[in-house]
């Protein structure tokens, strides 16, 4: 079992930045693909970004491409999401997820473990 804990959310003005962190409970995530998803009030959860087990490959939703950067540090069991140029429409609960099959994908069904989420609010 893998436990994921997100942190780094908060309230920020439009145009500002936040860095989300995801701490994993076991070293085995070094072989897992990792993803970030988000869910805004009244909307379905949506894909934000994913990173391969090695960090060599990344994948972004069009809505965040060029503004968000995903990274990982397998030695520390950590995954990060650097969010720049934040917009009010980025307001959501952000979730970290782990895929044991290490498939770089936007499909929620591929992810086996999920964190509890961290709230990001962007004020206009």
């Amino acid at each position: 079992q893998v436990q994921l804990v997100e942190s780094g959310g908060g309230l920020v003005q439009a145009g500002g930045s936040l860095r989300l962190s995801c701490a994993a409970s076991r070293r085995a995530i070094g072989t897992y693909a990792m993803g970030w998803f988000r869910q805004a009030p009244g909307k379905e959860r949506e894909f934000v970004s994913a990173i391969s087990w090695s960090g060599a490959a990344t994948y972004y939703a069009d809505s965040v491409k060029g503004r968000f950067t995903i990274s990982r540090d397998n030695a520390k069991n950590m995954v990060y999401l650097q969010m720049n140029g934040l917009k009010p429409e980025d307001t959501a609960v952000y979730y970290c997820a782990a895929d044991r099959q290490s498939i770089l994908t936007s499909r929620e069904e591929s992810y086996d473990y999920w964190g509890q989420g961290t709230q990001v609010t962007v004020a206009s």
Side-chain angles (χ1 to χ4, degrees):
Q1 191 73 9
V2 176
Q3 292 185 330
L4 303 173
V5 179
E6 303 93 338
S7 62
L11 173 64
V12 64
Q13 294 293 314
S17 298
L18 283 174
R19 187 195 196 203
L20 304 185
S21 299
C22 173
S25 64
R26 52 179 288 176
R27 303 180 71 82
I29 67 157
T31 63
Y32 296 177
M34 300 294 294
W36 286 96
F37 290 77
R38 67 186 182 186
Q39 187 168 21
K43 295 186 178 181
E44 294 187 352
R45 189 158 56 186
E46 64 175 5
F47 170 75
V48 175
S49 183
I51 188 167
S52 63
W53 70 269
S54 67
T58 57
Y59 180 22
Y60 296 94
D62 288 343
S63 58
V64 306
K65 202 172 295 182
R67 298 188 298 123
F68 291 10
T69 302
I70 191 171
S71 61
R72 66 189 297 163
D73 185 339
N74 288 341
K76 296 181 179 179
N77 299 330
M78 297 292 294
V79 181
Y80 306 99
L81 186 68
Q82 177 67 44
M83 306 186 296
N84 299 328
L86 282 162
K87 304 175 181 180
E89 51 263 44
D90 294 319
T91 295
V93 177
Y94 283 71
Y95 298 91
C96 176
D99 174 13
R100 289 179 301 177
Q101 301 302 316
S102 200
I103 299 170
L104 198 65
T105 179
S106 61
R107 297 177 68 247
E108 283 190 48
E109 311 87 86
S110 293
Y111 292 85
D112 304 288
Y113 305 107
W114 292 82
Q116 293 300 306
T118 184
Q119 176 71 46
V120 171
T121 303
V122 184
S124 58

